[in-house]
Amino acid sequence: MPLIQLLSVTKNYLDNIHSGVSQINLEIEQGQIVSIIGESGSGKSTLLKLIYGTLVPQTGQVFFNGVQIMGPDEKLIPGHNHMKMVTQDLTLNIYAKVYDNIAGLIPNINLTEKRELTLQTMDFLRISHLADKRIVDLSGGEQQRVAIARAVITEPEVLLLDEPFSQLDAILKKQLRDDVQRLAKYLNITVIMVSHDPVDGLSIADKMIILKEGKIICDGLPKTIYQNPKYAYVAKLLGKANVFINSAITPDKNQAYAVYPHQIVLNRDSKGIPAKVKNVYFSGNLDEVEIVYENLKITAYDYLNQNFKQNQPVWFSINHFMEVN
Ligand code: ADP
Ligand code: MG
C-alpha cells in the first residue's frame, strides 16, 4: 500500500475550474523524496495542502496509510498529525534564540531528553553553532534550517516543503538539498517538496511530478522525464530546450522535437548547418550561445570556449532529437 494516495482529487476555488488542481491521481511510497515542479499558479501549494489536510477536495479522496485524511472542519488542530509542513513564511519566533525555537516544540515531561533531542536535531541540520543566536540575526538559509529542525524534531512521518529553496543562493540550495536527502535517508522521513525551479528536484528526487494548469502532466523518475520529455513544455521547463516543429533539419517534418542546448554542437569551420551568432552569454565553464537559423532562434552550449562573437557565422549539428507533443 502506498503511504499517500490521491484518487481523482479536484479542488477548484470559487468554482473556477482554472484555479486549484483537477483530477489528481498520485501515489507516494514511504521514504520517497517527491519533487513537485510547476510554474507559479500551477497548483503546487494547493496539492500540498490537500495532502496535509488543510484543504478538502471537492471530489476525490486523499489517503494516508489507507485511511482517508480528515479535513480542517473535522480536526481541532489543522494539519495531519503525522505530517509537518514548512512554508516560505517560516513562523519562527524571531526574537527568541535558535535553541528555544526548536526546543519549544517538545513538552517538558523529561527535561534531559528534551535537551538531548534538541541538540541532536540542531546537529543533524548543522546549526549547533547558532544555538544562542536570535532568529533575526541569522541569514535566510540559516532560518530555513531552523524551520526544518522545528518540523522534524517532533518526528513526523511526512515532511512537506513549499518552495524551501526559493530565497537561497546556489551554495545554500545545494546544502539544503543535501539536508533533505539526509532527512529522508537517516530519519526515514517521506519528503514532498514543491518548487518552481526543476533543478531543485532533478538531483535528489525519487519521483518527480510536473504540474501544469492544475493537472499532472508527468510523473516518474526525474532522469526519465528529463531524457524523454513527453511535451515540449516539459523539455523547456526542465532544460531550456529548443523546439523544432515542421523543420527540414529534423528526422521527420511532421513530428515536433525538443533539443537541449547541450545536444547541439557548434563549429567555426563550416561543419554542419550554417547559421549566425545572435548573442553570447559567458557562464563560466561554458558559453551560452544564441544562434539564428532561418527565423529560428536556437540556444546551444559551447563547452569548448570557441569565443564566438555576435553576428559571426557559425555551423551547428544536432546530436540528439527528442520526440515531443
Ligand atoms: P502554486 O503554488 O503552484 O503557485 P497555487 O496552488 O497557490 O499555485 O494556486 C493555483 C491556482 O489557484 C492559481 O491560479 C491561484 O490563483 C488559484 N488560487 C490559489 N488559492 C486560491 C484562493 N484561496 N482563492 C482563489 N484562487 C486561488
Ligand atoms: Mg505556491
Side-chain angles (χ1 to χ4, degrees), residues 118-137:
T118 306
L119 294 177
Q120 256 175 35
T121 308
M122 287 196 301
D123 183 46
F124 193 84
L125 282 152
R126 297 180 286 197
I127 48 174
S128 306
H129 60 292
L130 305 172
D132 293 325
K133 281 201 172 183
R134 295 182 313 162
I135 302 295
V136 276
D137 298 325

Side-chain angles (χ1 to χ4, degrees), residues 13-14 16 18-21 38-47 49 162-163 194 211:
Y13 300 97
L14 312 166
N16 172 5
H18 298 296
S19 69
V21 295
E39 289 180 299
S40 177
S42 58
K44 304 181 298 292
S45 296
T46 303
L47 182 54
K49 288 177 198 160
D162 198 345
E163 310 229 17
V194 150
L211 275 181

